[in-house]
Amino acid sequence: MWFGSYDLLMRFWALIEPSLPSMVSVTPAQRGTFEPSSTVSRYLQPIDEMFMFLNYLALRLKQHDLADRFGVHQSTVSQIITTWSNFLYAVLGSVRIWMAVEKIREHLPAEFKDYADTTVILDCTELRCQCPSSPLLQSEVFSVYKSHCTLKGLLGVAPHGAVTFISPLYAGSISDKQIMRESGILSLLRPGMAIMVDRGFLVGDFVPCKIYRPPFLSGRSQMPVGEVRETQAIARLRVHVERLPLRLFGNINQLYTVACLLTNYENGPLVKAWTKKQGSTSAGLF
């Protein structure tokens, strides 16, 4: 589940409950209309609807399975999922997640002492999707890297684990450079900041700040010891982004964004998970 305890779940509920009157419920798809939640017949209490939605995201449960578990029709499940993805997209998306440099430094983990000016760790993630029947659309969403049709998004995470940037999803054929230009992240970066990226993230010609990137081997038989250590250090720190739980279905842009934002409400930063292992997973990251 998204929350480490029942108490955290109820704290999250208390956070969003005041916004429930503004929720717009989606009627069954064949009607193609939206109605205020007060005019739509509710089969479950709002907190149970939210719990169903979280189960859908976190456990990858099918809609017919959720219908059986919650004792409602499958069309009701679909309605609830769409309604709550739109609602949480609006409520959580209204909170500014980009952090001031001073706040990032205030919460900087000790493991980042050699990269203390790091403002954000950036990585592109690709979500496998069904291939369209149109050859033109297939060419748009086909990812050479994944050898499949995908949607691609840029994610940013602060050194202490908080998600601080989420781009919209783009067709899988988009390059890292292009998504960097179009996502809006450049307007947030300033001289004096630093970003941490993957080895293949070649954006140094237009990014207005320092970049930490593992060195290339560049045809050499082996790396110098210093570069090997730098590669391993950055790999351990970049694992923040690589471990984000992206369990996404259906209403994709809303679900994708909500799933990423929900990680900020979990029990503690992602950094806790890997500091216990101290690099045991770094070997396979690049």
Side-chain angles (χ1 to χ4, degrees), residues 206-220:
F206 61 87
V207 171
C209 63
K210 186 190 298 184
I211 300 175
Y212 292 124
R213 182 192 301 112
F216 281 96
L217 191 55
S218 302
R220 295 170 290 177

Side-chain angles (χ1 to χ4, degrees), residues 172-276:
S173 61
I174 193 171
S175 67
D176 290 351
K177 277 193 171 185
Q178 193 62 24
I179 202 171
M180 190 82 172
R181 292 182 190 274
E182 295 187 13
S183 65
I185 186 68
L186 293 177
S187 66
L188 300 172
L189 302 177
R190 301 284 185 273
M193 295 180 177
I195 62 173
M196 188 171 285
V197 297
D198 192 358
R199 174 184 291 132
F201 217 85
L202 305 178
V203 294
D205 55 333
F206 61 87
V207 171
C209 63
K210 186 190 298 184
I211 300 175
Y212 292 124
R213 182 192 301 112
F216 281 96
L217 191 55
S218 302
R220 295 170 290 177
S221 59
Q222 63 182 28
M223 284 186 184
V225 173
E227 290 189 4
V228 170
R229 288 174 178 167
E230 182 181 10
T231 297
Q232 292 174 342
I234 294 177
R236 285 195 294 270
L237 301 178
R238 281 193 61 259
V239 78
H240 283 317
V241 176
E242 308 247 347
R243 284 183 179 167
L244 281 176
L246 301 177
R247 309 167 178 91
L248 310 175
F249 305 83
N251 201 14
I252 192 64
N253 249 314
Q254 287 89 334
L255 285 168
Y256 166 74
T257 302
V258 169
C260 294
L261 289 173
L262 280 171
T263 63
N264 286 344
Y265 298 87
E266 289 180 314
N267 187 17
L270 296 176
V271 71
K272 290 182 178 179
W274 61 264
T275 49
K276 297 177 181 178

Side-chain angles (χ1 to χ4, degrees), residues 4-283:
S5 68
Y6 176 77
D7 179 61
L8 282 173
L9 174 63
M10 297 313 296
R11 285 172 183 265
F12 179 74
W13 171 250
L15 182 70
I16 65 169
E17 187 180 19
S19 300
L20 284 176
S22 64
M23 176 186 283
V24 176
S25 292
V26 180
T27 61
Q30 62 269 25
R31 297 175 61 180
T33 59
F34 294 83
E35 298 179 13
S37 58
S38 59
T39 68
V40 177
S41 176
R42 300 199 89 108
Y43 297 95
L44 298 172
Q45 293 298 313
I47 192 169
D48 294 323
E49 291 184 356
M50 183 191 74
F51 189 67
M52 175 193 287
F53 176 77
L54 294 176
N55 272 267
Y56 179 68
L57 283 184
L59 302 180
R60 306 188 184 195
L61 297 179
K62 302 294 185 183
Q63 291 189 14
H64 64 81
D65 188 350
L66 287 167
D68 183 60
R69 290 171 185 259
F70 285 82
V72 295
H73 194 274
Q74 187 171 332
S75 64
T76 302
V77 174
S78 178
Q79 175 184 340
I80 289 171
I81 289 170
T82 304
T83 297
W84 275 86
S85 64
N86 291 337
F87 173 66
L88 290 177
Y89 180 78
V91 173
L92 302 184
S94 67
V95 179
R96 179 179 173 85
I97 59 174
W98 184 256
M99 297 180 65
V101 172
E102 297 75 21
K103 284 292 182 182
I104 293 174
R105 302 276 169 80
E106 185 180 327
H107 297 284
L108 192 74
E111 291 78 14
F112 277 79
K113 64 181 184 339
D114 295 329
Y115 305 92
D117 52 353
T118 300
T119 301
V120 65
I121 307 162
L122 294 173
D123 197 15
C124 284
T125 185
E126 294 193 60
L127 313 176
R128 186 165 173 159
C129 64
Q130 185 176 0
C131 290
S133 56
S134 164
L136 179 60
L137 290 177
Q138 282 185 27
S139 67
E140 286 293 313
V141 297
F142 186 80
S143 166
V144 175
Y145 179 70
K146 294 291 186 181
S147 298
H148 201 277
C149 294
T150 67
L151 298 173
K152 189 174 183 180
L154 179 68
L155 285 174
V157 175
H160 65 285
V163 174
T164 58
F165 184 82
I166 307 167
S167 80
L169 291 173
Y170 299 85
S173 61
I174 193 171
S175 67
D176 290 351
K177 277 193 171 185
Q178 193 62 24
I179 202 171
M180 190 82 172
R181 292 182 190 274
E182 295 187 13
S183 65
I185 186 68
L186 293 177
S187 66
L188 300 172
L189 302 177
R190 301 284 185 273
M193 295 180 177
I195 62 173
M196 188 171 285
V197 297
D198 192 358
R199 174 184 291 132
F201 217 85
L202 305 178
V203 294
D205 55 333
F206 61 87
V207 171
C209 63
K210 186 190 298 184
I211 300 175
Y212 292 124
R213 182 192 301 112
F216 281 96
L217 191 55
S218 302
R220 295 170 290 177
S221 59
Q222 63 182 28
M223 284 186 184
V225 173
E227 290 189 4
V228 170
R229 288 174 178 167
E230 182 181 10
T231 297
Q232 292 174 342
I234 294 177
R236 285 195 294 270
L237 301 178
R238 281 193 61 259
V239 78
H240 283 317
V241 176
E242 308 247 347
R243 284 183 179 167
L244 281 176
L246 301 177
R247 309 167 178 91
L248 310 175
F249 305 83
N251 201 14
I252 192 64
N253 249 314
Q254 287 89 334
L255 285 168
Y256 166 74
T257 302
V258 169
C260 294
L261 289 173
L262 280 171
T263 63
N264 286 344
Y265 298 87
E266 289 180 314
N267 187 17
L270 296 176
V271 71
K272 290 182 178 179
W274 61 264
T275 49
K276 297 177 181 178
K277 299 180 181 179
Q278 284 298 313
S280 62
T281 60
S282 63

